[in-house]
Amino acid sequence: MGANTQTRELSGQRNPGPSPWQRLRDFGLPPRVMGLDLARALAVIGMAGAHMGGIGEINIWYPETYFGVVHGRSSILFAVLAGISVAIMTGRQRIPERAELGYLRSKLFVRGILIFIIGLLLEQLGVPVAIILMLYGLLYIIVMPFLRMRVGTLLLVACVIAVVGSMVTMAFALVFYDVWAFSAEFLSTDAYPLSIWVPLMLVGLAIGRLPLLDNRVSGALFAIGAGVSVIAYSLSAAAGGAEGHDGPLAIEAYYDGDDRGVFWPWIWGSLVASYPHSGGMLEFFGSGGFAVAVIGLCLLIAKPLRWPLIPLAALGSMPLTAYSAHLVVIVIGWGPGALPDSYAAWGWTSLGLVVGCTLYMVFFGRGPLERGLKWVSDAAAKDRAEESTPDRT
């Protein structure tokens, strides 16, 4: 400990922390993985575009529709990144010891509850979009039993859940929709169906256990993700489950008639559907593979392009704040119950988020919601660890 530090402590002065220049100079350096911040930024901007840009579905034969890639895939990228965040919080490449699980699960539980509450508060703004944060918070809790699984096991479990879960949840929804309508939609055909969101979180947890600063790992993620995505979307298109086809999973449309003979075609549809928010198995592989490829690409370009990408990565370093801010912007600019319908609104909002988050990072560091979330969850987990430690006095 240096003399200046001792003097400050004895005089009661607080360490002023890094200067704005130091924050800018050091931003994105290891152990922080800047490529993940880039991917988070793309996810937030993509979700803002899905809400604000008036963007239609994508058609591969019409380049002018390519902005439609933001639908569904942005939120799925967010889910995979959430799994990676859980891995970083629980040891990165190191599998946590059993003795650590109590502390780590407490931390995840509190964080999940807080994110859920933030989502509920954002719902009160009246923005007519599906707020992702409630499910996002629940996923932090759902993933807790999987923390000690190895990479291969996590990927295997994720694939099994995606294949079997899509069929089981669709069958449940078709049979019990009249009785448990909310549960049926939440499990299968709501905007964020659990049948693919849980396995997506597990894929992210598996990726987070890898050495992400290794370019060979980044390249493999990009290549494998892109390959899986192309194959899955091609199979879905051949089977009629891709964008541009009538959605085979519209439960309400099925119940408009009395013919239950379409039960098995609907189960087939749960496997081949890949259009956004369908909950189909091939959406998991198609959009999930796309998300993995985007993460791999962001990891690859983050090192050589670090300085020019700092503003975008600054937004990604505070995704909860940025996501919440774009909803507040919609309410202020267009009022409750309304959405903008222009590329200009999307573009200016995204630029404002990038500039605002960059300035906040330079002058204050961690985003305000992220700072509060970390402080509360760390404090709660510390109290839990102290309670579980036997008194040796």
Side-chain angles (χ1 to χ4, degrees):
M1 183 181 293
N4 291 336
T5 303
Q6 290 179 326
T7 302
R8 282 197 302 268
E9 289 182 354
L10 291 172
S11 62
Q13 296 179 3
R14 296 182 61 185
N15 190 325
S19 67
W21 164 245
Q22 288 173 320
R23 288 196 184 95
L24 181 63
R25 180 195 64 194
D26 298 339
F27 181 80
L29 294 177
R32 188 168 190 92
V33 185
M34 182 171 157
L36 298 179
D37 289 328
L38 290 177
R40 292 187 189 101
L42 294 178
V44 172
I45 291 173
M47 286 186 285
H51 299 156
M52 306 179 73
I55 302 169
E57 65 182 17
I58 190 171
N59 188 316
I60 194 172
W61 305 114
Y62 297 95
E64 64 271 19
T65 69
Y66 285 0
F67 277 125
V69 73
V70 300
H71 288 297
R73 298 168 189 85
S74 300
S75 54
I76 281 179
L77 175 58
F78 211 46
V80 177
L81 288 164
I84 297 176
S85 296
V86 170
I88 291 174
M89 291 170 55
T90 58
R92 294 182 180 251
Q93 294 172 245
R94 183 182 64 84
I95 302 294
E97 300 293 335
R98 293 188 185 277
E100 301 174 277
L101 290 180
Y103 169 78
L104 295 175
R105 286 172 176 166
S106 296
K107 189 174 181 179
L108 290 174
F109 182 82
V110 173
R111 182 172 290 241
I113 292 298
L114 291 174
I115 293 173
F116 187 91
I117 291 172
I118 293 171
L120 286 178
L121 293 175
L122 291 174
E123 284 277 7
Q124 308 314 306
L125 295 176
V127 181
V129 301
I131 304 295
I132 195 176
L133 295 183
M134 282 84 77
L135 179 60
Y136 193 68
L138 289 177
L139 289 173
Y140 271 83
I141 299 171
I142 293 172
V143 78
M144 291 193 298
F146 303 94
L147 294 181
R148 280 183 48 80
M149 286 188 179
R150 299 190 179 278
V151 171
T153 306
L154 285 167
L155 294 176
L156 177 61
V157 171
C159 291
V160 170
I161 293 175
V163 175
V164 178
S166 60
M167 293 187 292
V168 171
T169 53
M170 178 52 62
F172 172 85
L174 288 171
V175 173
F176 297 108
Y177 184 75
D178 288 332
V179 181
W180 297 314
F182 173 78
S183 298
E185 286 197 7
F186 182 70
L187 285 170
S188 60
T189 60
D190 198 28
Y192 307 117
L194 282 178
S195 57
I196 65 167
W197 274 69
V198 171
L200 286 167
M201 189 84 164
L202 297 182
V203 169
L205 182 57
I207 292 174
R209 297 291 186 216
L210 301 174
L212 295 179
L213 294 175
D214 187 333
N215 282 340
R216 293 171 298 179
V217 172
S218 305
L221 290 175
F222 174 73
I224 294 172
V228 169
S229 182
V230 169
I231 292 171
Y233 282 137
S234 299
L235 291 174
S236 180
E243 287 168 277
H245 296 273
D246 291 334
L249 304 185
I251 293 178
E252 294 87 351
Y254 169 73
Y255 270 88
D256 283 341
D258 296 324
D259 181 12
R260 293 177 180 262
V262 298
F263 180 86
W264 287 113
W266 278 71
I267 299 301
W268 170 248
S270 72
L271 293 175
V272 303
S274 67
Y275 61 87
H277 304 296
S278 66
M281 178 193 70
L282 289 182
E283 185 187 13
F284 166 76
F285 287 103
S287 296
F290 177 83
V292 172
V294 169
I295 291 169
L297 180 60
C298 288
L299 291 170
L300 285 172
I301 67 174
K303 293 178 185 178
L305 299 177
R306 174 175 165 264
W307 277 101
L309 290 175
I310 281 179
L312 190 60
L315 187 159
S317 71
M318 50 188 84
L320 184 59
T321 297
Y323 178 84
S324 302
H326 101 274
L327 295 175
V328 173
V329 168
I330 291 175
V331 171
I332 294 174
W334 291 269
L339 288 174
D341 188 11
S342 71
Y343 286 148
W346 177 27
W348 283 111
T349 300
S350 299
L351 179 61
L353 290 175
V354 168
V355 173
C357 290
T358 302
L359 291 174
Y360 197 95
M361 178 274 294
V362 168
F363 288 102
F364 303 104
R366 193 186 301 270
L369 290 181
E370 288 74 15
R371 185 183 299 276
L373 201 66
K374 184 178 189 305
W375 185 84
V376 175
S377 60
D378 285 354
K382 182 180 179 181
D383 290 344
R384 165 69 171 80
E386 290 175 351
E387 290 175 2
S388 61
T389 301
D391 188 356
R392 300 182 184 275
T393 59

